[in-house]
Amino acid sequence: MKKIIFILTITVVILSSSCKKDLNQVPISSETTSTFYQQPNDFIKAVNATYNSLRGYPDRLLFLSEVRSDNVYPTNDVGRDPDPINNFSLGIAPNVYVEEAWSANFVGVFRANTVLDQITKNGSFIGSPALATRLKAEARFLRAFFYLDLVKYFGKVPIIDHPVSALESNTIGRSSVSDVYNFIIADLQFAIANLPVNFSGPFPNYTASDVGRATKYAAEAILADVYMTRSGPTYGIEGPGLGLSEWNLALPLLQDIISSGLFVFNPNVYSFPVPATGIFSYSNQSPTANKEVIFDIMFLTGQNPILGTTFPWQLVPQAYFNGFPTGNPSLGGALGTPSVSTNLLNSYSTSPLDARKAPFLHTAPYNNLGALDLHAFYRKYLDTTKVPVSRFDWGINFIAVRYTDILMRKAECILHGAPGTQGDVDGIVNQVRARASQPAIANVTLAQLFDERRKEFAGEGSRWFDLERSGNLVTIMNAWRTVEDATLQKMSPIVPNFIIYPVPQSQLDAAPGLYIQNPGY
Amino acid sequence: MRLNVLLKKNLAIFLFFFGFFLSLQLSAQNPLTVTGKITDETGKGLGGVTISVRGTNNKTISDDGNYRIAGVKSNDVLVFSFVGYVEQVIPVKNQSVINVSLDISQKILSDVVVIGYGTQKKKGVTGSVSSFDARKLDERPVQRIDQALVGQLAGVTVKQTTGIPGKAFSVQIRGSGSISGGNEPLYVIDGFPLSVNSSNVSNGSFSTGNPLDNINPNDIESIEVLKDASAAAIYGSRASNGVVLITTKRGQAGKARINVNAYVGYNQAAKKLEMMNGDQWIAQAIEVINAQYLVAYPTASASDDYATRLARVGSLNANYIPDPRWTQPGHPGLRYIDWQDAIERKGMLQNYEVSASGGTEAVRYFLSGNYANQDGFVVGLNYKAYSMRANVEINASDKLKFGLNIAPTFSITQDPGIDGKDAIFHQALSLAPVQEDTMGLFPNTGKNFQYIWSSTTNSPMGKLTYNIGTTKRYRTLGSLYGDYQIIKGLNFRTSVNLDNTDNIGTTYVPYITTGISNILTNTNPRIFTGSNNLLASTSGTYRSYRRQTFVNENTLTYNRVIRKDHSINLLAGYSYNFDRFDQSAISSNGGYTSAVIQTLNAAAAVTGNTTSTKSVLISYFSRLLYGYKDKYFLSASIRRDGSSRFGINNQFGTFPSASLKWIVTEENFMNAIPVISDLKLRVSWGVNGNNNLPNDYASLATLGSYGYVLGTPAAVIGQAPNVLANPDLEWEKSKTYDIGLDFGVLKNRITGSFDYYNKLNTDLLLNVQVPAVTGFGSGLANIGSVRNIGEELELTSRNMVGKFQWSTTVNVTHNTNKIEALAPGQNQIIIPNGFTVSDAILRVGYPINSIYVLKVLGLLTAKDITDNMPRYNGTTEQPGDFKFQDINGDGVITEADKQIVGHPNPDWTYGITNTFRYKDFDLSCLVQGQAGGSIYSQLGRAISRPGQGRSDNHPASFVNRWYSESNPGEGRFGKAYSTYNNPITAATDWLYSSDYIRVRNITLGYNLSHLFQKKFVQNARVYFTLENFFGHDKYTNGLNPEAANTTVSTNGSYPEAGDYGAMPLAKSLIFGLNITF
């Protein structure tokens, strides 16, 4: 009898111990972080997913830089999400665009960190150490890109250099802006040292199928932006400007891009519709053909799931599409009737006519709910023959780093005392003016340079950051508000605290006490 | 006689107050010997009845009805008990002859009840257990077990969410404790725990199967529902929603018994929603068309005739020009159609079962075969089920026992897609009741054009006729077990169980019921023009799944009575359980190449995939049942469950419970209160779990697809984690306290039980906000809590005994549900909605999924407009539109003015059964209902939204709408032509009370046994049943207040199911015959 009990006991013990291993089930039909990252291709896919986090970048520039600046003044629409951004409302911490800027960039940071972490742990699966280094450089470039975006919008942010759990995330507060910059600079320096220069191989360098990935010059451009941004004034806040005078650090990077010979100033005069070889042409999309492009966020229409973009219509009033040929009913719903400001409209010379005005701005009245709407809006990226079936699926790339910008930044650095001559500056600015059918000017000042930038880069989302770097953001914005907002009086006076945005409400809620709200909100 | 009873009652109260003194006095008297005769309900002597003196070991057994018991004191109480009969308790009070008539129990045939991993004497059950008398399943035709449970048990709410035959009901025990983890109980059939199904939470249907599918109700012997934590705790991590134990019939040693059970009948719709008829629809269409005409052509006049309008508009535009035939006498060329009548019918029901049982001491068997065929009351609906069962038990030796249960079943459901948004029934309600006569019931179908004043909907009759939706389910449940007695009292039992379901669902939609065919624009996709491919719009799908549940259980039980007074039952066990789910889906792509072949080999192309998941559960459990003097009972159990579904850090959880019971009437002092014949007190506490995560791998960092564009350009694949891994993820826990009272008074003429429970579910599986630096906005975590507090009363009263018997059983449940906490600092979650802006909320302090909408105060008047009454969407509302309550007083109606106006679960549920017996007749009637809940009707969006337009039909009460300032109607509906409502807002105009009362069942039976010789026929009964024939509900613009068929929430973490066009429930009339040979 005792024997039987003994045998039974043994059986149960053996059964239970052998079955316990069964509790560690792996998903049958999906990969997990513990099964993925074991093929060289897995790591490339992981880097691709990090690029995917760039997809919201153009829209973000429009809503948080363009709309915030003196370029846009929505006049006749109520309650849309960008209005509080434009009006300098205090309660914008829960605003969707503010929320998106924080979360989407940190999703990108997380994906970059996941790649870097997995290369450290499982890098041997990649096989080629050179490829591993390239992928690391891409991930670090992207991480720096996301962080620079974060600093520009929020100032201090948490430094996350590895994937963190929910628990750990609650222990990492915001770092000082200068620490964040150091983190960014280290990433970019690694990227510059290790990224390919072009797309002509051989593997593991980029081939034609890699067009769109970050190159050494893209990294140099971003690093130049870092130096220039933090050379801007502090305005007495913990924002992106640190008052460092690092123009001479930025200049060699810009110069290296220019002297690479890979990029060419497109001399075609702007016109509407955009000519096939134009900078913003739907048929001039390849970054290798469009020599203006140093770094593109790439989009393609007609894919499933959607890989197109929304930015071309984000600042086009929805009512404008109502008069459109049938077949695109889903287009309704662009954001009300955002208009460019009268101030911007009037900044373009009429005599001689600035060649940029017509292709950049739609000024003809359009039918808005039965009435004619006279407010002008951006049409820089709009091609009425390329309206997609879904409004989320426009098929045009966004030029994140543009050669004209590199040139004008060079001029800016020189005007700030970096090596170079007034002749270099005038040459650059007049080259841009000539393309716009504008007469040449001499002894270009910083103020003239920024005016030219405004007209050249209108609708591209650089205005807010330009104002900030110029040191005149508060004065220019308030002067503009006094005139433009005289009738409606919906805007609040602009104070330095408004240079950066509030920490999103969701973040304050998710970890109470961890982040302290930016002053002024 | 009555007076006598009354006096006796008063005496009882008297005794109660002076009990001690009197009892001391009486106990001094001399012992008596009591004799008497015990008879059954027919007056025959009843042998084998136990007669005992309560509180002593003095007992005897009746012989052929006569008994004699000595040593009885005058103040003693005699207890007469016999299996299957109601216990009788009679005070002696100096009587020396006591004759007793015992009644067949209304409750249960056995005084032994099934508990988890074993059985127990009912007396000793310490937890809260409700038992269902499965004999009723023989006497009443039901198609599913869950159907039989409706209205029967306190604390068990059974909702019939659809009228489609063969579909599962939703069962909830003691409220909803979980927000996202599902609230369906664990089902255990003959000791085999089936996999818990949680897939009903999003749209209310069990798309991946229900544990009770295909189970033949006629095979069921008994059902016990373990409601409190202590009773259910032995099932640990799956028990927090309660446990339903189902026992199937088995054979008894003896002569073979053949039972034939057959019924036929018909079913039809239990309710019709009156929609506007042709004339009423025409009147509103004209009203809307005129309004639209005047807006588009401000210089025109509403009195313009057809020709004038045609000239002005330039083409026959149905938005501006009414059909001229509408106003002609007899409306020539048009046909008025009541679409509900058109698609409904009387559907035939039939069921035949033959079972055989019997055996010897060595081998006992129960075999059955069942065929059921039910035509739905909507054309095209049918359910057929074939089921077989074999239960065999073998005594291999004195010590060794084997058994095998096997139940292969097969069912076929035909449903072309009736319930849900844009499904056939919804369209039958919505579609215009006026159509071209030449098209019959088939507008916009085949070569028929759309009637241009109607909508583009294809005829519901056409879809019912030509569309095909078939679900074939083959399920086999099998259990093999062995039981070995190691020493006396110590048994080892092992079992191997497999539940395998193969389900194949196919759909086929031919081109003839798709597309718009408009005679005006000369588009007819269904007419061959020489170049078009008609078959391009034919489509088909093939989905299959296989669900397998394997369980191996091994238990040791030790049963012993020590020194007479101490009974001990010890259990220790180990179980291993896995669930595997494999599914495949193939669908046609780009149409078909054949108009005849429906399988996908004729598809132009196909797309498809397969996926699988698996989970493992390993458990250790132990329980002690202890009884002292059959008076005091204690039960304590502990279970340890390890599950692969949980985070690596929390794979194992422990679930303890304890409960006590005191049989007060076993105490001597209770003899002084003879009016109380039975009194038991129970208290229990326990912790249970809910392991229903959204999927089997929710704690792991799975990868998602995040593509990008590179190169020439081309799409490239990107992959990154799509879930924030949570290695700490574990079960939801529920902690329940229960206090219960079982009682019987007036010689057990009235018996019942009352329970109070307080159940707190904590560590809910919720998506909580996390800092975005993790790469995610939220992650699944164990956080938040929900409390259910309730009272349950079950009462049975034998109102009349003797020749004419009448008894009443009542159960009443009251439950309050409240969210106690969400994530820290979080007060509410507004549930996102796929159709309108949100209409439900999770808010701390309120019930789960409280209805959160704008409150309609009435209709706006011109004066309201001039008074600047707050309006929705700025200023676009006009007189005759809804006036909403501006709850935040900001002068404008926005989302911020929403308020909680109700909750979906009822506060009260009840069931009342009256049973009458006279000679060979029996009659029973079950009335069941609920009160206190609300339904937020998504169907309202389809048939009664403001500004709905001219073509879709409205409920008939829409004729009482607002017409003008001077004729504002009854206030429920605003004006027919309204333009403000974009987007559609959620307001109380679609809110209805879900209260209802239904006569679920009336059965009249007649016992034919006496017509046959007892030798051949042991029992024979014929019966008529009216099922669900009468009822009343307050869902005035819907059909089933319990309906759930459409996913409303767009976030799976906060499921909300709604009614978007449910068909009504069925009512049926059935004739049945039951013979036992």
Side-chain angles (χ1 to χ4, degrees), chain A residues 208-481:
Chain A
S209 64
D210 293 309
V211 169
R213 294 186 188 277
T215 60
K216 173 190 172 192
Y217 300 112
E220 285 183 339
I222 303 303
L223 184 56
D225 192 15
V226 168
Y227 289 132
M228 290 176 73
T229 303
R230 65 182 201 159
S231 293
T234 66
Y235 293 92
I237 62 161
E238 291 179 294
L242 294 183
L244 304 171
S245 196
E246 293 178 338
W247 311 102
N248 56 337
L249 293 179
L251 187 67
L253 296 164
L254 299 168
Q255 194 54 51
D256 195 44
I257 297 168
I258 294 162
S259 32
S260 73
L262 290 169
F263 312 102
V264 178
F265 183 83
N266 187 330
N268 282 346
V269 175
Y270 290 113
S271 62
F272 187 83
V274 182
T277 54
I279 294 171
F280 304 110
S281 162
Y282 278 68
S283 42
N284 191 17
Q285 284 293 288
S286 167
T288 45
N290 189 342
K291 300 283 188 193
E292 182 81 6
V293 175
I294 290 149
F295 185 56
D296 248 354
I297 317 288
M298 288 180 60
F299 299 98
L300 183 60
T301 190
Q303 302 296 302
N304 182 18
I306 281 177
L307 288 173
T309 183
T310 42
F311 77 87
W313 63 255
Q314 287 289 27
L315 297 184
V316 179
Q318 82 189 84
Y320 172 71
F321 287 103
N322 291 345
F324 250 66
T326 52
N328 298 307
S330 57
L331 278 168
L335 299 148
T337 50
S339 325
V340 298
S341 68
T342 315
N343 184 277
L344 174 65
L345 192 66
N346 294 339
S347 71
Y348 289 98
S349 157
T350 45
S351 171
L353 183 68
D354 194 313
R356 291 170 294 203
K357 189 174 177 182
F360 290 6
L361 306 176
H362 180 105
T363 51
Y366 60 95
N367 188 317
N368 189 350
L369 294 176
L372 284 184
D373 199 315
L374 299 168
H375 295 96
F377 58 85
Y378 286 125
R379 64 172 177 196
K380 201 169 200 170
Y381 301 101
L382 198 63
D383 182 335
T384 52
T385 66
K386 302 282 197 239
V387 181
V389 176
S390 156
R391 65 179 193 263
F392 302 105
D393 200 22
W394 292 79
I396 183 171
N397 293 345
F398 182 83
I399 306 173
V401 181
R402 190 175 149 193
Y403 190 54
T404 307
D405 183 40
I406 296 297
L407 294 174
M408 292 185 89
R409 281 171 179 269
K410 176 183 170 184
E412 189 179 335
C413 289
I414 293 171
L415 285 176
H416 276 292
T421 65
Q422 183 69 40
D424 294 338
V425 174
D426 292 357
I428 288 167
V429 173
N430 285 326
Q431 192 180 12
V432 172
R433 286 178 63 83
R435 184 165 64 186
S437 314
Q438 295 299 295
I441 49 175
N443 292 321
V444 174
T445 62
L446 268 172
Q448 285 173 312
L449 177 75
F450 277 108
D451 279 349
E452 205 57 48
R453 282 187 67 89
R454 184 187 188 194
K455 286 179 274 191
E456 177 68 21
F457 301 120
E460 294 183 44
S462 74
R463 178 62 179 168
W464 187 253
F465 303 126
D466 287 357
L467 282 173
E468 190 182 317
R469 216 164 54 239
S470 76
N472 302 320
L473 184 144
V474 178
T475 40
I476 291 179
M477 284 300 295
N478 278 319
W480 167 73
R481 178 187 71 92

Side-chain angles (χ1 to χ4, degrees), chain A residues 1 22 29 31 48 52 211 507, chain B residues 486 576 612 701 703 707 711 717 772:
Chain A
M1 195 50 54
D22 273 9
S29 299
E31 302 224 48
N48 293 348
N52 169 284
V211 169
Q507 302 309 305
Chain B
I486 298 162
Y576 173 85
S612 301
L703 271 81
I717 298 170

Side-chain angles (χ1 to χ4, degrees), chain A residues 22-23 25, chain B residues 576-578 614-618 642-645:
Chain A
D22 273 9
L23 290 181
Q25 291 286 315
Chain B
Y576 173 85
N577 181 130
F578 79 72
K614 183 182 174 183
S615 70
V616 173
L617 179 73
I618 291 171
S643 169
S644 68
R645 311 182 109 213

Side-chain angles (χ1 to χ4, degrees), chain A residues 91-260:
Chain A
I92 55 172
N95 186 280
V96 287
Y97 302 112
V98 176
E99 294 273 2
E100 192 270 352
W102 182 285
S103 60
N105 277 315
F106 273 113
V107 168
V109 169
F110 164 72
R111 290 183 189 164
N113 281 330
T114 303
V115 173
L116 295 169
D117 182 51
Q118 292 294 341
I119 292 177
T120 309
K121 286 179 188 158
N122 297 314
S124 57
F125 288 114
I126 299 175
S128 150
L131 177 61
T133 305
R134 187 199 100 189
L135 294 173
K136 243 158 94 174
E138 285 184 79
R140 291 189 71 172
F141 166 85
L142 289 166
R143 184 166 71 180
F145 190 97
F146 299 131
Y147 261 110
L148 178 59
D149 209 36
L150 284 165
V151 173
K152 284 182 177 178
Y153 291 126
F154 300 105
K156 297 189 293 179
V157 286
I159 295 177
I160 308 292
D161 61 0
H162 63 282
V164 294
S165 68
L167 201 64
E168 191 181 357
S169 71
N170 273 296
T171 64
I172 306 173
R174 299 168 75 189
S175 293
S176 73
V177 172
S178 96
D179 284 351
V180 178
Y181 274 128
N182 290 339
F183 184 60
I184 295 172
I185 291 167
D187 273 351
L188 288 172
Q189 284 171 341
F190 182 87
I192 291 166
N194 294 292
L195 283 175
V197 292
N198 58 24
F199 301 101
S200 44
F203 182 83
N205 282 338
Y206 296 146
T207 62
S209 64
D210 293 309
V211 169
R213 294 186 188 277
T215 60
K216 173 190 172 192
Y217 300 112
E220 285 183 339
I222 303 303
L223 184 56
D225 192 15
V226 168
Y227 289 132
M228 290 176 73
T229 303
R230 65 182 201 159
S231 293
T234 66
Y235 293 92
I237 62 161
E238 291 179 294
L242 294 183
L244 304 171
S245 196
E246 293 178 338
W247 311 102
N248 56 337
L249 293 179
L251 187 67
L253 296 164
L254 299 168
Q255 194 54 51
D256 195 44
I257 297 168
I258 294 162
S259 32
S260 73

